[in-house]
Amino acid sequence: MNAVPDMIRCYFALAGQPDREAYLALFADDAVVEDEGRSHRGIQQIREWRRETPLVSYEITDVEDGPAGTVVTATISGDFPGSPVAGLRFRFEDYDDAEIRKLRIAP
C-alpha cells in the first residue's frame, strides 16, 4: 500500500466528524463529487449531499496512485443498513495540497 497523501488523509479524518464545515473547506468552490452515480457540483450541492450522508468511520485498506488520480479503497462502518461496507473506492481525480476538485465514490 502506498503512502496516503496529506490532503487525502485530511479528507478521511474529517469525513467521519460532525463538523461538516471543516470537511467542506477541503473542497474547491466548483468541486464535483460523484457518489453512487449522482453528481454533486459546486460547494452548495456538496453541502446538501453531506447533510444527507450518515457519519461513518473509515478503515483504509489500499492506496494506489496512477494517471487517473489516487484511489483509496476503504471499509466504512456506521449506523446505516448494510454496515460495514467493504471495498468502497474513493477516486481523487483532481486535487492538490490546497483543495479537492473532483472525487468519485463507487463500490
Side-chain angles (χ1 to χ4, degrees), residues 1 3-4 14-15 21 23 32 37 46 54 78 84 86-88 91 102:
M1 178 166 61
V4 181
L14 293 172
E21 292 307 312
Y23 169 82
V32 176
I46 294 170
L88 201 58
R91 183 180 302 274
K102 186 161 187 184

Side-chain angles (χ1 to χ4, degrees), residues 1-86:
M1 178 166 61
N2 293 327
V4 181
D6 288 341
M7 174 54 80
I8 294 173
R9 186 183 332 276
C10 286
Y11 172 89
F12 285 104
L14 293 172
Q17 301 300 315
D19 181 355
R20 286 173 161 74
E21 292 307 312
Y23 169 82
L24 291 168
L26 299 173
F27 292 91
D29 288 341
D30 60 349
V32 176
V33 174
E34 293 181 6
D35 183 24
E36 297 183 17
R38 293 175 43 205
S39 286
H40 311 280
R41 298 181 180 279
I43 201 67
Q44 185 56 38
Q45 286 187 8
I46 294 170
R47 177 177 277 112
E48 291 167 13
W49 162 74
R50 182 69 175 142
R51 280 188 199 124
E52 300 169 3
T53 306
L55 292 177
V56 298
S57 61
Y58 299 86
E59 178 188 344
I60 295 173
T61 56
D62 192 37
V63 178
E64 297 175 32
D65 285 314
T70 301
V71 178
V72 176
T73 304
T75 297
I76 63 170
S77 302
D79 187 17
F80 62 90
S83 177
V85 176

